[in-house]
Amino acid sequence: MPTERRILIAGNWKMNGLRQSKTELRGIAAGMDGIGADLLVCPPFTLLAAFASDVAGTRLMIGGQDCHPAESGAHTGDVSAEMLKDAGAVAVILGHSERRADHHEGDAVVKAKVKAAWRGGLLPIVCVGETLDERDAGEAPAVVTRQVRQSIPDAATAANLVIAYEPIWAIGTGRTPTVDDVAQIHGTIRHVLAERFGAEAGGIRILYGGSVKPDNAAILLATADVDGALVGGASLKAADFLAIARAAPRG
Ligand SMILES: O=C(CO)COP(=O)(O)O
């Protein structure tokens, strides 16, 4: 039964970073000694290939922030999973709340992108999370349950899927849920996965994301069913990202 879950600390650089940001990337790659967790940096498309070749031979992995469902074709401005793989990515963030909001992505589109990630040989990191209104109305478990049910295809396994719980109101705000709230939602996600995938669900990693910083990482990463972090702002600085990774209780 796949219950061993390696901690994954993933950095989502969002629309940040120019060529000079390589300094931070190199700082992360150079500072990984003694860190047991898997580390992943997801830069913007423009930096992906350069970053991937820069970290070749290190344990630092590179991922994308989105992909189109199709392999290729007339989709101006889009990038496919195969293209991300070709550029050196091993993973891709899908269904981030900023994509869901800015690009009107619903669960069906996210599900198609997860299948595309698998087709292209990438590990999808599927984001779910409630708005503040939904949380205040007590709907967070129901919202997240619906998103997990509808965004995840049937062929999910412990090896080919990572989920990230990112309460939208905690992203970039400096606010985080209580550890009890995080444990409750992560437990809900695990339960929803178990209903569908049985024992395999015990091996699927569930990351927490939303204002993860060096000073709150230890408590968040020690919470039940939290198997790592999806870090936004604090992943842009090597020292902060490494401090978060060092706070992980297990590798
Ligand atoms: O959206 C996030 C990661 O995907 C979280 O961003 P912050 O860590 O900046 O709150």
Side-chain angles (χ1 to χ4, degrees):
M1 195 174 80
T3 48
E4 172 76 13
R5 301 191 298 267
R6 281 181 63 75
I7 294 281
L8 172 63
I9 308 295
N12 175 7
W13 280 27
K14 309 192 179 185
M15 200 171 73
N16 295 293
L18 299 170
R19 271 183 291 180
Q20 69 236 35
S21 314
K22 260 194 180 181
T23 317
E24 295 303 325
L25 181 84
R26 287 183 179 149
I28 296 169
M32 287 180 66
D33 281 357
I35 291 176
D38 292 337
L39 259 60
L40 171 75
V41 168
C42 300
F45 292 135
T46 48
L47 292 174
L48 207 145
F51 275 24
S53 70
D54 222 59
V55 303
T58 76
R59 287 200 300 121
L60 182 56
M61 299 178 287
I62 301 297
Q65 299 176 12
D66 177 50
C67 71
H68 191 278
E71 186 173 343
S72 62
H75 302 288
T76 303
D78 276 312
V79 171
S80 72
E82 285 76 3
M83 291 168 173
L84 293 176
K85 178 82 175 177
D86 186 50
V90 298
V92 60
I93 298 167
L94 295 174
H96 192 282
S97 57
E98 289 151 16
R99 300 277 328 163
R100 290 179 187 259
D102 294 357
H103 300 272
H104 312 290
E105 291 187 8
D107 292 328
V109 170
V110 176
K111 187 176 186 174
K113 292 182 174 196
V114 175
K115 290 181 182 169
W118 290 340
R119 186 194 63 222
L122 298 177
L123 175 68
I125 300 172
V126 179
C127 302
V128 297
E130 79 286 356
T131 64
L132 190 55
D133 283 351
E134 288 164 341
R135 161 143 306 247
D136 288 345
E139 292 167 0
V143 168
V144 166
T145 295
R146 190 202 69 228
Q147 290 175 329
V148 170
R149 286 202 178 126
Q150 297 183 3
S151 306
I152 309 299
D154 289 335
T157 67
N160 74 11
L161 177 70
V162 173
I163 291 180
Y165 169 54
E166 298 208 314
I168 295 169
W169 51 274
I171 295 175
T173 59
R175 295 179 57 197
T176 53
T178 65
V179 287
D180 287 349
D181 287 341
V182 173
Q184 185 207 5
I185 298 291
H186 280 236
T188 299
I189 293 171
R190 183 87 56 210
H191 178 75
V192 171
L193 293 170
E195 278 176 346
R196 195 151 151 220
F197 303 112
E200 198 69 24
I204 296 175
R205 288 178 288 183
I206 306 172
L207 314 184
Y208 169 78
S211 295
V212 178
K213 308 286 178 202
D215 62 1
N216 62 16
I219 184 144
L220 287 165
L221 290 168
T223 302
D225 276 309
V226 173
D227 306 310
L230 182 53
V231 185
S235 71
L236 295 169
K237 288 270 165 264
D240 287 350
F241 192 58
L242 289 168
I244 290 168
R246 280 196 203 94
R250 63 182 201 273

